[in-house]
Amino acid sequence: MVDGVTIPRPRGTAGAGAPRLTDIAAQADVSEATVSRVLNGKPGVSAATRTRVLAALDILGYERPVRLRRRSAGLVGLVVPELTNPIFPAFAQVIEQVLAGHGYTPVLCCQQPGGASEDELVEQLEESGVDGIVFLSGLHADTAADQGRYAELAARRIPFVLVNGWNEQVSAPFVSPDDHMAAGMAVRHLAELGHERVGLAVGPVRYVPSRRKTEGFLAAAGPDAERYVRHTLFSVEGGHAAAAELLDAGCTGIVCGSDMMALGVIRAARERGLDVPGDVSVVGYDDSPLIPFTDPPLTTVRQPVQAMASAAVGALLEEIRGNPVPSTEYVFQPELVVRGSTARARS
């Protein structure tokens, strides 16, 4: 007990080394008096400030007082295609934070090769009694997939929101980045650096984000640039395979459909003894958390993860509360982040 306030014990300890009010206050950027009010459950503290204090406890590794552990408002499912690409954990983390701020408990479902399908995961979520589902880069983005599954889900009166991949056959709120703009920004950046032959390494053509990136690329680079488009896998290996052909075609700048693909392009260039960015400039897409620390730091187009995730959760919660959200696509602008993987083309 410090200053009349019982401080929670560190998780996994017998109680030694309990934090001081000053530690929590410094972490939350509030006064010690505010921390005291929150820990004692007293009024006079805004919801945002209360959340900061509780987050400070979590960050410092201490259990919350029992009386401050809120009862969950309900469960919300989050279906993601994988977790090996850092952009998906980044989305999952923000979605979880926003849901927790509203009292909901997220249930993360990840597909694995040979494992449960999206439909099987949805069935499991329904059996768990979820109040709604967020789909991230799911089958809604695959033009070859049967979109009737979402109509059936809506008929069962389960609210859902779809992130990354517009499909006019599905009646639901969509949240997407402007992939068309993203590809155009990357092409114009390379053109301004003097690159006259720019290629595009992007995912399978059946995916909506791939099609939109391709359209944006051709709009900026010109229709003749279609011969410099390679559809492959959204992975390091996919980028490596595409780079082999694009480098053979004489491309000195390569725009990629994901940061993972860009890392594969850089690896392929180095295997040929080429320097990045001295001989080849590379632009990624996503700006996932570790990308600024690659060698060289990757120039990329940043997805507005925070804004998109917050909008997706906001729309879903409105649906859960019985306030229908227009079944349309909410498009967010990306941002070009210039780092060390692009430079002026050699004359």
Side-chain angles (χ1 to χ4, degrees):
M1 181 175 294
V2 179
D3 298 332
V5 180
T6 300
I7 305 294
R9 294 180 176 181
R11 288 191 287 267
T13 74
R20 299 173 299 172
L21 284 178
T22 52
D23 298 329
I24 303 172
Q27 181 66 46
D29 194 24
V30 298
S31 69
E32 294 180 33
T34 297
V35 174
S36 176
R37 285 197 294 271
V38 171
L39 295 181
N40 284 296
K42 294 181 178 180
V45 181
S46 69
T49 300
R50 179 184 183 279
T51 300
R52 287 215 309 275
V53 172
L54 296 180
L57 284 175
D58 297 339
I59 292 171
L60 292 171
Y62 292 90
E63 295 180 356
R64 298 183 183 185
V66 174
R67 63 176 172 273
L68 296 181
R69 297 173 191 169
R70 292 184 298 179
R71 187 173 182 178
S72 175
L75 303 177
V76 170
L78 172 58
V79 181
V80 300
E82 58 165 312
L83 292 176
T84 53
N85 186 332
I87 194 60
F88 295 127
F91 265 105
Q93 182 176 15
V94 176
I95 290 172
E96 179 181 9
Q97 290 172 345
V98 179
L99 283 171
H102 290 276
Y104 284 84
T105 302
V107 180
L108 178 63
C109 294
C110 179
Q111 301 177 61
Q112 298 289 342
S117 66
E118 181 177 302
D119 292 336
E120 291 168 336
L121 293 175
V122 169
E123 182 178 348
Q124 294 170 16
L125 289 172
E126 287 188 67
E127 292 174 354
S128 300
V130 296
D131 295 302
I133 303 175
V134 178
F135 292 92
L136 176 58
S137 299
L139 291 174
H140 63 277
D142 187 347
T143 59
D146 179 10
Q147 302 301 317
R149 53 175 43 88
Y150 299 109
E152 295 174 2
L153 186 61
R156 297 196 294 274
R157 304 183 69 82
I158 298 179
F160 60 92
V161 174
L162 304 158
V163 181
N164 274 347
W166 160 255
N167 195 307
E168 61 183 6
Q169 300 177 41
V170 181
S171 179
F174 285 81
V175 175
S176 306
D178 192 332
D179 289 309
H180 190 284
M181 173 187 285
M185 292 168 63
V187 171
R188 287 189 291 274
H189 170 62
L190 293 175
E192 290 170 358
L193 292 174
H195 294 275
E196 298 179 355
R197 188 169 298 181
V198 176
L200 174 67
V202 72
V205 70
R206 71 177 192 270
Y207 292 120
V208 173
S210 296
R211 291 187 175 187
R212 288 179 165 179
K213 287 184 176 74
T214 301
E215 292 168 358
F217 172 82
L218 295 176
D224 291 342
E226 187 170 4
R227 54 183 169 167
Y228 302 126
V229 175
R230 295 296 182 274
H231 289 281
T232 178
L233 300 177
F234 276 119
S235 64
V236 173
E237 293 75 19
H240 186 278
E245 297 183 25
L246 293 174
L247 292 173
D248 285 343
C251 293
T252 62
I254 299 179
V255 176
C256 301
S258 73
D259 289 337
M260 295 298 98
M261 298 184 78
L263 296 181
V265 170
I266 292 174
R267 186 174 71 179
R270 285 176 171 168
E271 287 177 356
R272 296 184 175 214
L274 300 175
D275 178 70
V276 177
D279 299 307
V280 183
S281 286
V282 181
V283 181
Y285 181 81
D286 284 335
D287 196 30
S288 43
L290 296 178
I291 289 305
F293 308 103
T294 58
D295 179 25
L298 187 66
T299 293
T300 187
V301 179
R302 175 182 295 158
Q303 280 203 67
V305 173
Q306 183 75 43
M308 290 174 59
S310 298
V313 172
L316 182 66
L317 294 183
E318 287 299 313
E319 292 277 347
I320 291 174
R321 294 164 183 157
N323 303 319
V325 176
S327 298
T328 187
E329 183 180 26
Y330 301 90
V331 180
F332 290 76
Q333 291 190 355
E335 176 188 358
L336 178 67
V337 182
V338 179
R339 299 194 181 102
S341 66
T342 53
R344 295 205 63 82
R346 289 180 177 174
S347 57

